[in-house]
Amino acid sequence: MAASRRVLPGFNLTLGYTLFYLSVIVLIPLTALIFKTLSLTWDQFMGAVSAPRVMASYRLTFGASLIAACVNAVFGLLIAWVLVRYTFPAKKIVDALVDLPFALPTAVAGIALTALLAGNGWVGQYFEPWGIKLAFSPNGVVIALIFIGLPFVVRTVQPVLEDLEKELEEAAACLGASRLQTFIKVIFPAIFPALSTGFAMAFARAVGEYGSVIFIAGNMPMVSEITPLIIIGKLEQYDYAGATAVATVMLVISFVMLLVINALQGWQRKQTGAAQ
Amino acid sequence: MSQLTVARRRAISTTESPWIQAVLIAIALVFIALFLVLPLAAVFAEALRKGLGAYWLALLEPDAWAAIRLTLLTAVVAVPLNLVFGVAAAWAIAKYEFRGKSFLTTLIDLPFSVSPIVAGLIYVLVFGAQGWFGPWLAEKNIKIIFAVPGIILATIFVTFPFIARELIPLMQSQGSEEEQAAIVLGASGWQTFWRVTLPNIKWGLIYGVILCNARAMGEFGAVSVVSGHIRGQTNTMPLHVEILYNEYQSVAAFAVASLLALLALVTLAIKTWVEWRHAAEMRELSQLPPERPMNTVPIAQ
């Protein structure tokens, strides 16, 4: 087969252009970030990335992203299940609507959620009398992150559920398993890799999210200030070194998340490959 | 056992009782109503709160128009560039074997996992006043950061993988037998691409382009870092929404936001239509009579 590869023309052109464009748009600018960070001393770097206000922002960013990804894992799985297994009116519209967070600009989502959850909003007014603040608090951050992360879980779990073989469930039922046992012992293990992938994608997206969060968070230092906003704050004070240091921490986390997601997808492919 | 009882047991064994189904459907619908439908409805309700007159007035404002024009310009430049890249990358990755291919695919995905703020920052570090090319650009009087080129670059970065990652798995699953046949029959590389490959990938291409376009027009974080927020000049629609909102011009902010929400709805509609068309074509193909087995002449000499 080695020779047949050569039949199709364009290898040098397409790969060359791909590498060129990738370098110009992504790799060289990212290198600038790394070089700028390397120009800092260790103490400067640590001082910037471990200041109390920055540490508080990590706690909020990662805590809220984790809660949001967990909520999305549960409800995303439920929505995917309902869309694949059951029939109900307007199902196709609901299915299309799941992608809304992908298509709706984050700033629009941000101001819409703020309008809803503020003390006088459609939803917020019912929580205000109980002393629960939804907007302008960490609660608002979690809600915004749930919004933007939902389609990741639904869209990774849905195709796997669709391809699941009914025979396995029938076999489980014939062997005396209850429906719940079948779900826990047969269905759940089969969709678990996909669910983990969706969870990781929702988490990764939530950690870097900016647009939908800043309107609703209130942005109080130490309380409801996310890490991307810390970078913006430093940039506005012309503290490029500090902004770069914090950005490097976020970039490293993105790399790690990307590797985790790749590994999870590999696991998922192996699992579905083994089942066939 | 009669056929009926067999059928019934089969149904019982692989589905839930009707009331469990109803409860699960209800929970899913309530969740979607609360988290997706309500915010969408709020955009239009807030935009029209002071009536249609105020809504139109907000949209006809010159700064709003300038923002709309800049957003369209950004998308018109960014989407075709990423389209050409997406096709080239998919061709290289799907049609050939080479070392480091999976690493290359991971690198292409990278902009998806980088925070938009970091995406904006890296261009400031390259082209900003203190950046690598800053002094040189200042000498030549070229502005990239806090100007339109920076906005376009940041947009290209955040929408970089959209079309490539739609096309790579599609072209991989289609293989390259059809292209090889065309080449062997004497077609040139370009003819093969236009007549064989392009018709095969058209739905994936449209799909990628509309998602890329939606993100390009709606990007906020990355563009916000490099824009400089000059009204009428470097404000895209999402940035204009932010400025109006922070100035407590709620109706005007939501009016511009409603245009972006409409864009999202149109995007979803086209996306769903593409999925239906694609599924319909697949059904038609599967209903065709099976082809006679081809003569398996090896293509390579």
Side-chain angles (χ1 to χ4, degrees), chain A residues 25 27 37 76 81 88 98 114 126 162 171 183 198 204 243-244:
Chain A
I25 299 294
L27 299 182
T37 309
W81 178 269
F88 52 91
V98 167
T114 312
Y126 299 107
E162 267 163 9
F183 180 80
T244 309

Side-chain angles (χ1 to χ4, degrees), chain B residues 1 13 16 68 90 100 102 106 158 181 192 197-198 200 202 226 236 275 284-285 289:
Chain B
M1 232 185 295
S13 67
E16 288 72 40
I68 293 170
S102 63
T106 307
V158 293
T192 308
T197 310
L198 204 58
N200 276 338
K202 66 171 187 265
V226 295
T236 61
E275 282 163 356
E284 276 167 28
L285 275 180

Side-chain angles (χ1 to χ4, degrees), chain A:
Chain A
M1 283 307 284
S4 74
R5 245 191 285 148
R6 299 270 163 259
V7 169
L8 283 187
F11 176 67
N12 290 333
L13 175 72
T14 54
L15 186 67
Y17 183 70
T18 301
L19 293 175
F20 166 75
Y21 192 74
L22 179 72
S23 305
V24 170
I25 299 294
V26 181
L27 299 182
I28 294 173
L30 281 175
T31 324
L33 183 75
I34 294 162
F35 269 95
K36 180 81 181 169
T37 309
L38 290 177
S39 73
L40 305 176
T41 67
W42 180 249
D43 289 339
Q44 276 177 318
F45 179 77
M46 286 311 287
V49 301
S50 64
R53 191 168 156 187
V54 181
M55 294 302 278
S57 83
Y58 297 146
R59 274 195 296 276
L60 174 67
T61 298
F62 290 102
S65 300
L66 193 66
I67 299 171
C70 289
V71 172
N72 278 333
V74 173
F75 285 94
L77 172 59
L78 177 75
I79 290 167
W81 178 269
V82 164
L83 285 176
V84 172
R85 292 294 173 107
Y86 305 151
T87 50
F88 52 91
K91 181 168 142 173
K92 282 193 167 151
I93 294 173
V94 172
D95 196 356
L97 207 59
V98 167
D99 282 324
L100 180 71
F102 282 159
L104 192 69
T106 51
V108 178
I111 63 169
L113 287 171
T114 312
L116 281 177
L117 301 176
N120 57 359
W122 289 351
V123 176
Q125 58 180 325
Y126 299 107
F127 289 84
E128 185 93 335
W130 304 88
I132 302 171
K133 266 185 85 120
L134 292 181
F136 315 120
S137 76
N139 295 334
V141 178
V142 173
I143 291 169
L145 295 180
I146 292 173
F147 175 85
I148 57 142
L150 181 69
F152 289 97
V153 177
V154 179
R155 293 298 183 233
T156 43
V157 173
Q158 204 174 8
V160 180
L161 264 180
E162 267 163 9
D163 290 347
L164 217 59
E165 287 167 58
K166 280 242 162 182
E167 284 78 7
L168 289 175
E169 293 167 48
E170 282 165 16
C174 289
L175 293 170
S178 73
R179 194 60 194 148
L180 190 64
Q181 282 174 320
T182 308
F183 180 80
I184 294 169
K185 299 209 168 149
V186 177
I187 301 172
F188 192 74
I191 56 176
F192 186 65
L195 187 63
S196 315
T197 310
F199 174 87
M201 285 174 159
F203 180 78
R205 173 71 203 266
V207 167
E209 177 58 19
Y210 177 73
S212 59
V213 175
I214 52 149
F215 294 100
I216 206 169
N219 305 329
M220 284 165 284
M222 305 298 293
V223 180
S224 59
E225 195 179 37
I226 54 168
T227 312
L229 189 64
I230 296 265
I231 300 176
I232 295 276
K234 285 182 186 292
L235 272 179
E236 278 170 359
Q237 295 159 17
Y238 300 102
D239 177 9
Y240 287 94
T244 309
V246 179
T248 306
V249 172
M250 293 212 68
L251 186 67
V252 169
I253 293 161
S254 319
F255 267 122
V256 172
M257 287 309 300
L258 190 62
L259 293 178
V260 168
I261 291 168
N262 268 359
L264 285 171
Q265 279 171 335
W267 180 33
Q268 189 183 327
R269 268 194 297 272
K270 225 164 113 188
Q271 180 120 354
T272 45
Q276 278 159 8

